[in-house]
Amino acid sequence: MKVIIHAGCAKNGSTAFQTLMHRVGPALADQGVYYPPAVLGHRDFAERAYIDDYEWVDRVMADARARDATTLLISTEHFQNVLCQKVYGLGIGLAFREREAEEVRYVFSVRDPFDYFESIYAEAAKWFPISVEQAANAALRQGSFWTAWQALVPVAYVFDYATVFGEFRNYLATVDPAITLDCWELSDFSHGFAGRRLLETAGVSDGVLKEIEAGLESGEITINRNQRSSAQDIEIFHAQQYLFGNTVLPSLAAQKSDQLEPVANLVAQVAETKLRQINSQRDALRARFAERFANWRECLSQD
């Protein structure tokens, strides 16, 4: 059996692909593809590795065999956490190999580093009082932007793709050549709809892919897509946290209190000021990203 692990990166079409597979995955059984339901959530597949728990590997392999599947396809962007400590990536791969998977293939999708950064910052600014310049400088210095999940699981949003994926690919090859890693550009990964290339790799026929595309066009099949907040909204979040420590503007607006209106106006003024600063920095930051991560496409698989 072949195992394909769609491992991220985050903010690279993962939610759209997972939603699509939730809708069409069961119908792909005739193609020999098994997409296991994420009963405890997609992140659980990856994060069990941090406590050396591979019981889920036994479960999904058994389920795939019971369905006579030739390919097991798993998707969770939280597998990108293996980049922080790549021994976990090896551990997951070996767990499948020990359970008689003939090959294990990690697939990552990446995008232009500055666009990737902006998408991540839009998410981070909802929760942390961090400015775009602070976040960008951290990414430029380290090649990654760090957060944490419940202070337990390390998460790295990696921008220095070429170096990190190259090291991970070589690391896997020294232990077991049957555990491989591919890196695709997001535009290749999408190719008509989220994950077409990934499904092609899993052996889904062109006719079935065309049927899925027709369903998407007609609205018979719908997928969720993450919507990036506007720059103005992002900076309002940041301004609220900067001034008050939490996001207060929606509740203030709902109350429509004359007493609180000056506070709401202050938040808006701070946000507008910060937005002007960001716009003046944006071109310079993009140029610095282009210089710092000029080799980002070198990580892409040549196939």
Side-chain angles (χ1 to χ4, degrees):
M1 185 184 302
K2 176 168 63 176
V3 176
I4 298 176
I5 300 174
H6 170 222
C9 292
K11 299 300 180 183
N12 274 264
S14 300
T15 299
F17 178 71
Q18 289 156 13
T19 305
L20 174 70
M21 290 302 294
H22 178 72
R23 303 287 176 83
V24 306
L28 298 180
D30 291 342
Q31 304 291 314
V33 177
Y34 176 56
Y35 181 78
V39 178
L40 298 178
H42 287 283
R43 72 171 66 220
D44 187 65
F45 285 140
E47 292 174 352
R48 301 305 298 174
Y50 291 109
I51 55 175
D52 295 322
D53 179 1
Y54 299 108
E55 181 276 334
W56 64 272
V57 175
D58 289 302
R59 184 178 70 254
V60 296
M61 287 288 283
D63 290 345
R65 291 192 181 99
R67 291 164 173 77
D68 295 322
T70 56
T71 300
L72 172 63
L73 175 59
I74 297 173
S75 173
T76 169
E77 62 271 31
H78 295 282
F79 274 120
Q80 82 169 46
N81 298 356
V82 302
L83 299 177
C84 303
Q85 300 180 53
K86 51 185 177 285
V87 65
Y88 293 126
L90 176 62
I92 294 168
L94 289 177
F96 278 108
R97 290 283 288 146
E98 290 168 1
R99 290 150 181 84
E100 300 182 347
E102 295 176 4
E103 63 175 287
V104 179
R105 184 175 185 179
Y106 282 103
V107 175
F108 291 89
S109 57
V110 298
R111 65 200 291 188
D112 174 87
F114 188 72
D115 291 342
Y116 183 39
F117 161 75
E118 286 189 316
S119 183
I120 289 169
Y121 176 70
E123 184 75 19
K126 298 176 184 178
W127 310 105
F128 306 105
I130 185 171
S131 71
V132 66
E133 186 174 25
Q134 289 172 322
N137 285 331
L140 285 162
R141 286 196 307 272
Q142 303 173 15
S144 60
F145 181 70
W146 293 91
T147 63
W149 180 72
Q150 294 184 353
L152 297 175
V153 179
V155 179
Y157 295 103
V158 179
F159 303 90
D160 195 357
Y161 309 127
T163 299
V164 174
F165 283 119
E167 291 177 353
F168 191 25
R169 187 182 278 128
N170 293 336
Y171 179 67
L172 294 173
T174 61
V175 180
D176 188 340
I179 307 175
T180 59
L181 181 150
D182 285 329
C183 182
W184 299 337
E185 193 170 348
L186 178 60
S187 58
D188 294 333
F189 176 71
S190 300
H191 190 59
F193 61 85
R196 180 187 177 102
R197 186 174 180 186
L198 190 56
L199 289 176
E200 288 176 337
T201 302
V204 178
S205 69
D206 187 62
V208 172
L209 292 173
K210 288 180 179 177
E211 289 180 9
I212 296 174
E213 285 186 318
L216 291 168
E217 290 177 1
S218 67
E220 182 179 349
I221 301 173
T222 58
I223 59 176
N224 295 334
R225 299 180 185 275
N226 290 334
Q227 300 296 321
R228 183 187 299 180
S229 303
S230 69
Q232 178 76 44
D233 288 341
I234 294 168
E235 284 313 301
I236 285 178
F237 274 122
H238 178 230
Q240 289 165 198
Q241 295 190 60
Y242 178 78
L243 291 174
F244 308 109
N246 52 43
T247 52
V248 297
L249 190 58
S251 60
L252 292 177
Q255 294 179 39
K256 296 181 179 179
S257 167
D258 292 337
Q259 293 180 338
L260 294 176
E261 185 176 350
V263 179
N265 288 338
L266 176 60
V267 173
Q269 291 171 14
V270 173
E272 290 172 3
T273 300
K274 297 187 70 60
L275 191 62
R276 286 195 294 271
Q277 294 173 342
I278 288 174
N279 287 334
S280 67
Q281 299 163 356
R282 192 173 303 276
D283 289 342
L285 285 172
R286 182 181 290 277
R288 288 167 62 195
F289 268 76
E291 181 179 359
R292 171 68 173 81
F293 307 118
N295 64 335
W296 70 273
R297 283 192 173 88
E298 292 180 10
C299 72
L300 301 181
S301 305
Q302 305 297 318
D303 60 0

